[in-house]
Amino acid sequence: MGRSRVRMFLKRIRVGRERGGGGEGGEEEGVVVKGGGGEGEEESEKEEMGANRFGCHTSELESFERFERERKQSSAAVTMVKFLKPNKAVILLQGRYAGRKGVIVKAFDDGTRDRAYGHCLVAGIKKYPSKVIRKDSAKKTAKKSRVKPFVKLVNYQHLMPTRYTLDVDLKEVVTPDVLTSKDKKVTALKETKKRFEERFKTGKNRWFFTKLRIEPVWKTIIVMGC
């Protein structure tokens, strides 16, 4: 039975109870008074095996009411799942690094004193490494494997989370304090660059170290047949 039908059913039951048990002395339990001017003409009606005036068993009514209470409690207890967690790979949507990939280092769901909104500390790739082929020399391979990172505080609304995660530990290296001083930021960027390059050389997380492919508009129009 749908929720709307359950609500309507329970409403009918409550109205029936109010009408049946709301008299001020005209009715007693199991006794119904008939006639306006008679002196004590009474008829006793016995209810059938716990059934009420709507032909529904009392246990069914209790089960419906219990279902409604549990549904309200469960809906009130629902909380939003946190999916913007550390090591989650994201794509920036706004600013000078729009379209760049990054990884969440630390999340601030409730905001801070300076930024009273949900945001996170992101370490991303400003310049991606080039494609390495087998015939490249060691010197050329090292040159192509270079990465230029960035560190930034980003609003949640300016991020697009992905299904990927990056297993690179940057918690000790990248902190909100490094953005307050230029020397600290340079040191953090150097260490981040080193760890990103080490991860790239292992051959894992290839998607993170490749540029985001964006199809031109004219190709999309041709595919759609417009």
Side-chain angles (χ1 to χ4, degrees):
M1 183 180 289
R3 292 180 180 176
S4 59
R5 294 183 63 187
V6 171
R7 292 195 193 99
M8 185 172 64
F9 187 73
L10 293 174
K11 186 176 180 181
R12 289 175 59 193
I13 293 167
R14 294 190 192 102
V15 171
R17 286 179 178 176
E18 289 174 0
R19 290 178 180 175
E24 298 180 355
E27 294 184 3
E28 297 178 1
E29 188 176 353
V31 179
V32 178
V33 179
K34 285 190 176 182
E39 296 182 357
E41 292 185 1
E42 300 176 356
E43 290 185 4
S44 60
E45 293 184 358
K46 296 182 180 179
E47 296 183 354
E48 300 178 358
M49 294 299 294
N52 64 357
R53 59 182 297 183
F54 296 106
C56 183
H57 201 275
T58 308
S59 60
E60 295 179 3
L61 300 180
E62 292 176 355
S63 63
F64 281 132
E65 291 177 349
R66 194 183 311 113
F67 165 76
E68 191 72 9
R69 286 196 302 270
E70 290 176 357
R71 186 186 65 80
K72 289 181 180 179
Q73 291 175 1
S74 62
S75 62
V78 170
T79 55
M80 189 174 181
V81 178
K82 295 181 181 179
F83 55 91
L84 292 172
K85 299 178 180 179
N87 296 334
K88 169 70 77 173
V90 296
I91 298 173
L92 275 69
L93 304 177
Q94 297 288 338
R96 64 184 299 184
Y97 300 119
R100 299 282 190 245
K101 297 173 184 176
V103 60
I104 295 176
V105 181
K106 189 174 182 180
F108 302 93
D109 295 328
D110 300 328
T112 58
R113 181 179 296 179
D114 298 331
R115 297 170 182 260
Y117 52 85
H119 62 280
C120 57
L121 182 63
V122 177
I125 300 177
K126 184 177 180 180
K127 185 178 179 182
Y128 292 92
S130 303
K131 186 178 180 180
V132 178
I133 58 178
R134 188 175 295 177
K135 67 178 183 179
D136 288 340
S137 62
K139 185 177 179 181
K140 199 169 186 180
T141 302
K143 186 177 180 180
K144 285 185 174 182
S145 301
R146 291 176 184 173
V147 175
K148 193 171 183 180
F150 69 87
V151 177
K152 191 178 181 182
L153 286 169
V154 186
N155 189 338
Y156 278 168
Q157 296 182 359
H158 300 161
L159 291 175
M160 185 178 75
T162 65
R163 60 178 178 172
Y164 301 100
T165 56
L166 188 70
D167 297 329
V168 177
D169 189 13
L170 297 171
K171 292 181 180 179
E172 299 178 357
V173 178
V174 180
T175 59
D177 296 335
V178 302
L179 300 175
T180 58
S181 173
K182 187 174 181 180
D183 296 335
K184 291 181 181 179
K185 188 174 181 180
V186 170
T187 305
L189 288 173
K190 286 181 180 179
E191 188 64 27
T192 304
K193 171 184 170 70
K194 180 181 176 182
R195 299 196 181 189
F196 276 168
E197 289 177 354
E198 289 175 356
R199 189 66 179 178
F200 174 72
K201 290 175 183 178
T202 59
K204 299 179 181 179
N205 302 108
R206 283 292 182 186
W207 175 86
F208 184 78
F209 295 102
T210 54
K211 286 185 179 182
L212 184 67
R213 295 196 309 169
I214 301 175
E215 295 290 338
V217 178
W218 63 270
K219 283 189 177 181
T220 307
I221 294 172
I222 291 173
V223 170
M224 292 177 65
C226 297

